[in-house]
mmCIF file with all atom_site columns, all heavy atoms in Angstrom:
data_model
loop_
_atom_site.group_PDB
_atom_site.id
_atom_site.type_symbol
_atom_site.label_atom_id
_atom_site.label_alt_id
_atom_site.label_comp_id
_atom_site.label_asym_id
_atom_site.label_entity_id
_atom_site.label_seq_id
_atom_site.pdbx_PDB_ins_code
_atom_site.Cartn_x
_atom_site.Cartn_y
_atom_site.Cartn_z
_atom_site.occupancy
_atom_site.B_iso_or_equiv
_atom_site.pdbx_formal_charge
_atom_site.auth_seq_id
_atom_site.auth_comp_id
_atom_site.auth_asym_id
_atom_site.auth_atom_id
_atom_site.pdbx_PDB_model_num
ATOM 1  N N   . GLY F 1 35  ? 94.021  71.000 162.397 1.00 93.00 ? 550 GLY F N   1
ATOM 2  C CA  . GLY F 1 35  ? 93.693  72.414 162.244 1.00 93.00 ? 550 GLY F CA  1
ATOM 3  C C   . GLY F 1 35  ? 93.370  73.031 163.588 1.00 93.00 ? 550 GLY F C   1
ATOM 4  O O   . GLY F 1 35  ? 93.775  72.515 164.629 1.00 93.00 ? 550 GLY F O   1
ATOM 5  N N   . ILE F 1 70  ? 88.703  78.497 151.154 1.00 98.00 ? 585 ILE F N   1
ATOM 6  C CA  . ILE F 1 70  ? 87.633  77.603 150.732 1.00 98.00 ? 585 ILE F CA  1
ATOM 7  C C   . ILE F 1 70  ? 86.674  77.451 151.902 1.00 98.00 ? 585 ILE F C   1
ATOM 8  O O   . ILE F 1 70  ? 87.052  76.941 152.964 1.00 98.00 ? 585 ILE F O   1
ATOM 9  C CB  . ILE F 1 70  ? 88.182  76.235 150.301 1.00 98.00 ? 585 ILE F CB  1
ATOM 10 C CG1 . ILE F 1 70  ? 89.118  76.393 149.095 1.00 98.00 ? 585 ILE F CG1 1
ATOM 11 C CG2 . ILE F 1 70  ? 87.040  75.267 149.981 1.00 98.00 ? 585 ILE F CG2 1
ATOM 12 C CD1 . ILE F 1 70  ? 89.857  75.124 148.719 1.00 98.00 ? 585 ILE F CD1 1
ATOM 13 N N   . GLU F 1 94  ? 103.537 70.157 146.030 1.00 93.00 ? 609 GLU F N   1
ATOM 14 C CA  . GLU F 1 94  ? 104.375 70.744 144.976 1.00 93.00 ? 609 GLU F CA  1
ATOM 15 C C   . GLU F 1 94  ? 104.455 69.845 143.753 1.00 93.00 ? 609 GLU F C   1
ATOM 16 O O   . GLU F 1 94  ? 104.548 70.325 142.621 1.00 93.00 ? 609 GLU F O   1
ATOM 17 C CB  . GLU F 1 94  ? 105.771 71.029 145.526 1.00 93.00 ? 609 GLU F CB  1
ATOM 18 C CG  . GLU F 1 94  ? 105.803 72.165 146.553 1.00 93.00 ? 609 GLU F CG  1
ATOM 19 C CD  . GLU F 1 94  ? 107.210 72.461 147.037 1.00 93.00 ? 609 GLU F CD  1
ATOM 20 O OE1 . GLU F 1 94  ? 108.160 71.824 146.540 1.00 93.00 ? 609 GLU F OE1 1
ATOM 21 O OE2 . GLU F 1 94  ? 107.359 73.328 147.914 1.00 93.00 ? 609 GLU F OE2 1
ATOM 22 N N   . ASN F 1 158 ? 90.429  85.505 146.664 1.00 98.00 ? 673 ASN F N   1
ATOM 23 C CA  . ASN F 1 158 ? 89.890  84.282 146.066 1.00 98.00 ? 673 ASN F CA  1
ATOM 24 C C   . ASN F 1 158 ? 89.090  83.506 147.114 1.00 98.00 ? 673 ASN F C   1
ATOM 25 O O   . ASN F 1 158 ? 89.659  82.961 148.058 1.00 98.00 ? 673 ASN F O   1
ATOM 26 C CB  . ASN F 1 158 ? 91.042  83.421 145.524 1.00 98.00 ? 673 ASN F CB  1
ATOM 27 C CG  . ASN F 1 158 ? 90.551  82.280 144.661 1.00 98.00 ? 673 ASN F CG  1
ATOM 28 O OD1 . ASN F 1 158 ? 89.416  81.819 144.772 1.00 98.00 ? 673 ASN F OD1 1
ATOM 29 N ND2 . ASN F 1 158 ? 91.428  81.802 143.788 1.00 98.00 ? 673 ASN F ND2 1
ATOM 30 N N   . GLY F 1 167 ? 73.236  71.820 151.186 1.00 98.00 ? 682 GLY F N   1
ATOM 31 C CA  . GLY F 1 167 ? 74.343  72.769 151.084 1.00 98.00 ? 682 GLY F CA  1
ATOM 32 C C   . GLY F 1 167 ? 74.502  73.283 149.667 1.00 98.00 ? 682 GLY F C   1
ATOM 33 O O   . GLY F 1 167 ? 74.862  74.443 149.440 1.00 98.00 ? 682 GLY F O   1
ATOM 34 N N   . GLU F 1 173 ? 71.605  79.430 146.095 1.00 98.00 ? 688 GLU F N   1
ATOM 35 C CA  . GLU F 1 173 ? 70.882  80.641 146.508 1.00 98.00 ? 688 GLU F CA  1
ATOM 36 C C   . GLU F 1 173 ? 71.833  81.831 146.620 1.00 98.00 ? 688 GLU F C   1
ATOM 37 O O   . GLU F 1 173 ? 71.503  82.941 146.173 1.00 98.00 ? 688 GLU F O   1
ATOM 38 C CB  . GLU F 1 173 ? 70.172  80.408 147.843 1.00 98.00 ? 688 GLU F CB  1
ATOM 39 C CG  . GLU F 1 173 ? 69.355  81.618 148.280 1.00 98.00 ? 688 GLU F CG  1
ATOM 40 C CD  . GLU F 1 173 ? 68.690  81.450 149.633 1.00 98.00 ? 688 GLU F CD  1
ATOM 41 O OE1 . GLU F 1 173 ? 68.858  80.391 150.269 1.00 98.00 ? 688 GLU F OE1 1
ATOM 42 O OE2 . GLU F 1 173 ? 67.999  82.395 150.077 1.00 98.00 ? 688 GLU F OE2 1
ATOM 43 N N   . GLU F 1 180 ? 78.478  88.048 144.615 1.00 97.00 ? 695 GLU F N   1
ATOM 44 C CA  . GLU F 1 180 ? 79.759  88.676 144.921 1.00 97.00 ? 695 GLU F CA  1
ATOM 45 C C   . GLU F 1 180 ? 80.416  88.102 146.177 1.00 97.00 ? 695 GLU F C   1
ATOM 46 O O   . GLU F 1 180 ? 81.599  88.367 146.438 1.00 97.00 ? 695 GLU F O   1
ATOM 47 C CB  . GLU F 1 180 ? 79.571  90.185 145.083 1.00 97.00 ? 695 GLU F CB  1
ATOM 48 C CG  . GLU F 1 180 ? 78.796  90.623 146.317 1.00 97.00 ? 695 GLU F CG  1
ATOM 49 C CD  . GLU F 1 180 ? 77.291  90.482 146.211 1.00 97.00 ? 695 GLU F CD  1
ATOM 50 O OE1 . GLU F 1 180 ? 76.801  90.147 145.094 1.00 97.00 ? 695 GLU F OE1 1
ATOM 51 O OE2 . GLU F 1 180 ? 76.595  90.705 147.226 1.00 97.00 ? 695 GLU F OE2 1
ATOM 52 N N   . PHE F 1 211 ? 77.290  92.109 134.921 1.00 97.00 ? 726 PHE F N   1
ATOM 53 C CA  . PHE F 1 211 ? 77.985  91.417 136.006 1.00 97.00 ? 726 PHE F CA  1
ATOM 54 C C   . PHE F 1 211 ? 79.450  91.257 135.614 1.00 97.00 ? 726 PHE F C   1
ATOM 55 O O   . PHE F 1 211 ? 79.782  90.568 134.650 1.00 97.00 ? 726 PHE F O   1
ATOM 56 C CB  . PHE F 1 211 ? 77.350  90.054 136.269 1.00 97.00 ? 726 PHE F CB  1
ATOM 57 C CG  . PHE F 1 211 ? 77.948  89.326 137.450 1.00 97.00 ? 726 PHE F CG  1
ATOM 58 C CD1 . PHE F 1 211 ? 77.652  89.723 138.751 1.00 97.00 ? 726 PHE F CD1 1
ATOM 59 C CD2 . PHE F 1 211 ? 78.817  88.265 137.270 1.00 97.00 ? 726 PHE F CD2 1
ATOM 60 C CE1 . PHE F 1 211 ? 78.199  89.061 139.841 1.00 97.00 ? 726 PHE F CE1 1
ATOM 61 C CE2 . PHE F 1 211 ? 79.362  87.592 138.348 1.00 97.00 ? 726 PHE F CE2 1
ATOM 62 C CZ  . PHE F 1 211 ? 79.063  87.992 139.639 1.00 97.00 ? 726 PHE F CZ  1
ATOM 63 N N   . PRO F 1 228 ? 62.600  64.077 147.187 1.00 84.00 ? 743 PRO F N   1
ATOM 64 C CA  . PRO F 1 228 ? 61.601  63.827 148.240 1.00 84.00 ? 743 PRO F CA  1
ATOM 65 C C   . PRO F 1 228 ? 60.497  64.876 148.263 1.00 84.00 ? 743 PRO F C   1
ATOM 66 O O   . PRO F 1 228 ? 60.328  65.614 149.231 1.00 84.00 ? 743 PRO F O   1
ATOM 67 C CB  . PRO F 1 228 ? 62.441  63.863 149.515 1.00 84.00 ? 743 PRO F CB  1
ATOM 68 C CG  . PRO F 1 228 ? 63.533  64.821 149.194 1.00 84.00 ? 743 PRO F CG  1
ATOM 69 C CD  . PRO F 1 228 ? 63.848  64.601 147.741 1.00 84.00 ? 743 PRO F CD  1
ATOM 70 N N   . GLU F 1 279 ? 90.131  70.174 139.148 1.00 93.00 ? 794 GLU F N   1
ATOM 71 C CA  . GLU F 1 279 ? 90.677  70.067 137.800 1.00 93.00 ? 794 GLU F CA  1
ATOM 72 C C   . GLU F 1 279 ? 89.949  70.996 136.834 1.00 93.00 ? 794 GLU F C   1
ATOM 73 O O   . GLU F 1 279 ? 90.545  71.548 135.907 1.00 93.00 ? 794 GLU F O   1
ATOM 74 C CB  . GLU F 1 279 ? 90.600  68.624 137.326 1.00 93.00 ? 794 GLU F CB  1
ATOM 75 C CG  . GLU F 1 279 ? 91.445  67.666 138.174 1.00 93.00 ? 794 GLU F CG  1
ATOM 76 C CD  . GLU F 1 279 ? 91.307  66.220 137.747 1.00 93.00 ? 794 GLU F CD  1
ATOM 77 O OE1 . GLU F 1 279 ? 90.449  65.945 136.867 1.00 93.00 ? 794 GLU F OE1 1
ATOM 78 O OE2 . GLU F 1 279 ? 92.042  65.370 138.283 1.00 93.00 ? 794 GLU F OE2 1
#
Side-chain angles (χ1 to χ4, degrees):
I585 298 172
E609 291 182 3
N673 191 336
E688 183 183 1
E695 69 281 353
F726 185 75
E794 297 177 353

